[in-house]
Amino acid sequence: AGGMRLLCTLVDLGTGLIGSDATDRLPRAILAIDRLGRVTYVNERTERLLGRPRGALAGRPLWEALPWFGLPYHEEQLRAALVSGQPVRFVARPERGRWLSVSLHPGRDGVTMVLVPEDDPPEPAPGGTAESGTDGEESREDTLSLHGDRMPSPYRPVALAIALSEAVTARQVSAVVTEELLPAFGGRQLAIYLLSDRRLYLAWETGFPPGFLETFDGVGLEARVPGVETLTTGRPLFFESMQQLGLAYPGLPLDAYSGARAFLPLIASGRLVGTCILGFDRPRGFSAEERTVLTALAGLIAQALERARRYDSESAVARGLQDALLPHRLPVRDGVDTVARYLPGTEGMDVGGDWYDVIEAGQGRLALVIGDVQGHGVAAAATMGQLRSAVRAFALGGHRPQDVMRGTNRLLIDLDPGQFASCCYVLLDPDTGEMRAVRAGHPQPLLRMPDGSTELLELAGGVVLGVDDRASYPVTRLRLAPGAVLALFTDGLVERPGRDIDEGIERLRRALAATGSLPLTEAADRLIREARQATARPDDIALLLASRVPEHG
């Protein structure tokens, strides 16, 4: 359309061909590198184009596999692709009289490169850039120090900078340094100390003998140890051998007799943040370029840790607010047991707007409430507190369930237009088991019958709170039999990244059915056990169980 032409290539990938077999059929030379610049994939056409077998390319740093990539101009193109996240195309001359068109396609895990022979060489670039392929380029290849454990290429520092920008907590920052910085320089040990009240406290370590670093935990700024002096002077300290370190600091406990150490000050915008220690198993020198790169990286790490410190402070405030606003104990009523559990998330701002409540609503009835405010952090926790107070006030005023939900909905719209929340409200008569339930965009509750059969209740529902001030919330009438268990929960308990929520609900239903005759407290612990043990919990979780005691049925 509009004069556009598309040039397409059809490739028969056959059946059952994946990975290298499939890409070998593509009419382009393709290779891929990871975040550390190592060649991870080479297709057959790349072998033919470069005249080198895959074994001579795969697993090697890019600037070793393709030495011309160590030239400044090509490094700038790679840096541009990594920083922008957008494809970059340029022309390179790997050898005299030969030109290649190079396309760089960055992704989260590395860069895919496409190489195409260029028949018509470009005009020399102004200023004699590396693209023009001057004779000086070939003579420079012998002086670039692109081999061994040297690390002049800016690829790794840029990759580390990108990863640091994605890290949120101090633990995530430390993990990024472990995964990116250590392999880049061939290091084996890492320790990060953070400054607090003029003392350095160990925040992260890997590779050191167990317990060795505890000797220095809490050391004051007046101590004469390299980790302190690099911070107070602002100068990095490099020791090419452990003997050199021992001579500079007589009496300093050493964790090894052989190796090398680098002590880097972590300073962000003039603020002392802490110290980073890199350890190497063997003695090694530190070139001027490596010292410059490591010092610059220490500044990036310090900035990331400073951001993480502010994040952790806000997270602590949010956690404290959430804890203060959730009920510390539930009402005790004859004939009814109620148990609740709350778990903060392990990602993002850690805590969100999930809440639960059990309210004595008058005339002997109990209101069972569970809700989930959009978002995480202080704002979500504060909104949660306002909604919990509103629901409690309406319930104590004797309002019908549908009126409780309507009133809370209008309040949220008035308080914070654009914010929304889900909620499920159940009014229970403990004597008869009669329940009247309303639902605002919240997951359906589960009900386990006395015989162990378990079902997902089909409660009529309205839209989430905070969207439509004219929304209505129909009532569903149910009965809680003696010995039955009602389970109200937020979506954090049943949602998993990349999985259908129905799978999570079915998994929870089976878990509830398997609780059998367990006491309600043990049943609640059983239902959240898997979530509690998970290392990655993207959302917070609230769970509320209610059961009528059989002898009061």
Side-chain angles (χ1 to χ4, degrees), residues 32-38 62-63 69 74-79 81-82 104 106-113 151-162 180 184 293 297:
I33 55 177
D34 62 15
R35 292 174 67 94
L36 293 179
R38 293 184 298 250
L62 177 63
W63 36 92
F69 242 103
H74 302 135
E75 290 181 345
E76 290 171 7
Q77 304 308 309
L78 185 55
R79 182 191 297 112
L82 285 165
L104 306 178
R108 183 175 182 84
D109 298 323
V111 176
T112 299
M113 302 173 56
M151 210 285 301
S153 171
Y155 179 87
R156 290 167 178 168
V158 171
L160 178 66
I162 294 172
E180 299 281 359
V293 169
L297 290 179

Side-chain angles (χ1 to χ4, degrees), residues 220-275:
L221 293 185
E222 70 285 348
R224 189 180 181 275
V225 293
V228 170
E229 293 197 357
T230 188
L231 182 61
T232 55
T233 64
R235 292 186 297 103
L237 300 174
F238 298 94
F239 299 96
E240 300 183 351
S241 68
M242 299 303 287
Q243 290 76 16
Q244 189 181 72
L245 175 59
L247 290 174
Y249 293 88
L252 180 73
L254 301 178
D255 61 294
Y257 295 104
S258 178
R261 295 290 182 269
F263 296 83
L264 308 174
L266 301 179
I267 302 174
S269 301
R271 177 182 173 86
L272 304 184
V273 175
T275 297

